Amino acid sequence: MRTDDFWQLIDRARTGAGEPGAVAARAVALLAELPPEEILGYAHHQQRVLAASYTVDLWGAAYLINGGASDDGFEYFRGWLMTQGRAVLAQAVRNPDALAELPQVRAAALSGEEFECEEMLSVPWDAYRKATATDLPADRDPVKVPDLNDFWDFDDEEEARRRLPKLAALFVEPPAE
């Protein structure tokens, strides 16, 4: 499976699906129709996407938007990002602060809605099981995850304002005068 095919499948799953969980369910159904080697290719691309999006500032953005983000919470946030499509995810990786421009993120600043989609992370495993009645084989060539040596204190409002000014304007209380 090529990268374009990976994202086209997600785009097809997004069409008419609505909620992120429905996107994941449609992705499983669409992927299960493909040959097992294509499902393996999808799994490898998903690992590459998750590795590329495993950055400190994106984690900080998830923390601000969702009111906190554990390791699992950050994984589920990136699952939600995948349901938003290639352009949104790529922009978020390049510039996590750009998430402040998404209408649903702006609305979440008022509503407190959190963005997670754990189901998106299990799409290749569920599709493979559905297609073959067996478990997805382990990846023999796992994608390396970047080292996060540049961690910052996500609760440090001043640092959040410096690194993610647009998101901080939405999700961090204004400084006391």
Side-chain angles (χ1 to χ4, degrees):
M1 176 172 284
R2 298 171 328 155
T3 301
D4 287 342
D5 298 331
F6 171 86
W7 286 109
Q8 286 171 5
L9 187 136
I10 291 174
D11 285 344
R12 286 179 47 217
R14 293 177 62 220
T15 304
E19 295 298 313
V23 173
R26 285 181 46 86
V28 168
L30 292 168
L31 192 56
E33 295 173 0
L34 299 177
E37 37 306 330
E38 289 293 304
I39 300 171
L40 290 169
Y42 178 98
H44 186 71
H45 280 289
Q46 178 174 291
Q47 286 303 101
R48 288 179 51 212
V49 166
L50 291 172
S53 62
Y54 194 71
T55 69
V56 172
D57 283 344
L58 186 57
W59 197 333
Y63 191 92
L64 288 176
I65 292 167
N66 284 348
S70 65
D71 317 9
D72 288 343
F74 182 45
E75 291 279 321
Y76 307 156
F77 178 80
R78 290 181 293 143
W80 171 80
L81 272 177
M82 286 174 56
T83 70
Q84 303 306 296
R86 185 180 199 170
V88 169
L89 189 137
Q91 178 64 20
V93 170
R94 277 192 308 277
N95 177 14
D97 203 34
L99 288 167
E101 297 163 14
L102 295 178
Q104 62 266 46
V105 170
R106 296 184 74 73
L110 301 173
S111 71
E113 180 181 1
E114 294 182 11
F115 301 107
E116 295 184 341
C117 188
E118 179 180 3
E119 303 89 347
M120 197 64 185
L121 302 177
S122 64
V123 164
W125 286 267
D126 295 344
Y128 197 86
R129 197 172 304 112
K130 186 175 180 178
T132 67
T134 62
D135 288 335
L136 184 77
D139 192 346
R140 295 175 197 257
D141 187 24
V143 175
K144 293 189 189 248
V145 177
D147 184 13
L148 298 178
N149 284 324
D150 189 27
F151 251 97
W152 51 281
D153 179 359
F154 299 148
D155 288 318
D156 181 337
E157 294 177 354
E158 188 175 306
E159 186 68 8
R161 283 187 195 89
R162 187 179 75 71
R163 288 180 181 251
L164 303 166
K166 293 176 187 173
L167 286 170
L170 293 172
F171 293 97
V172 175
E173 294 292 322
E177 305 226 358

